[in-house]
Amino acid sequence: MEDSKEIDTPIATTTKLDMDELGLSVDQKLYRGMIGSLLYLTASRPNIVFNVGLCARFQVVIFNLVGYADADYAGFLVDRKSASGMAYFLGSCLVSWATKKQNLVALSTAEAEYVVAASCCAQLLWIK
């Protein structure tokens, strides 16, 4: 080992990993347990943080998170503010929903829809 070349991480940072969707099925519980043990070791072994993080990315189950939004234009007759409605689904399960009066007076239907779309995207990022 005295003649070996020293590097910061055991894997090159330019290595590209990809999911092996056609590969053999593995015991996910076993691999998640091993990665969890390695994550514990990263507290005292900072040289393996990059490698463990790279492997942990592929242990995450990808969920289909979808948000739907709609607005009415000037629905409140007193102050002419629009109402926003949003629903968030994880797969086929409703995980969150909201209805509220918008904070501004929209000048068009497009503006009211734009406001609710921006709010829906912000909420989706927070949920994610």
Side-chain angles (χ1 to χ4, degrees), residues 38-81:
L38 289 171
L39 284 170
Y40 179 75
L41 285 176
T42 59
S44 61
R45 298 280 311 272
N47 61 326
I48 64 170
V49 171
F50 177 77
N51 305 349
V52 175
L54 200 59
C55 293
R57 286 184 206 165
F58 291 96
Q59 293 299 314
V60 176
V61 177
I62 299 172
F63 291 107
N64 188 15
L65 181 63
V66 179
Y68 297 96
D70 195 17
D72 72 338
Y73 173 61
F76 291 94
L77 298 177
V78 175
D79 56 6
R80 306 301 291 168
K81 290 187 177 180

Side-chain angles (χ1 to χ4, degrees), residues 99-119:
T99 58
K100 67 179 222 169
K101 186 165 64 167
Q102 292 181 356
N103 295 330
L104 54 92
V105 177
L107 300 177
S108 67
T109 304
E111 185 179 0
E113 295 285 345
Y114 178 77
V115 169
V116 72
S119 181

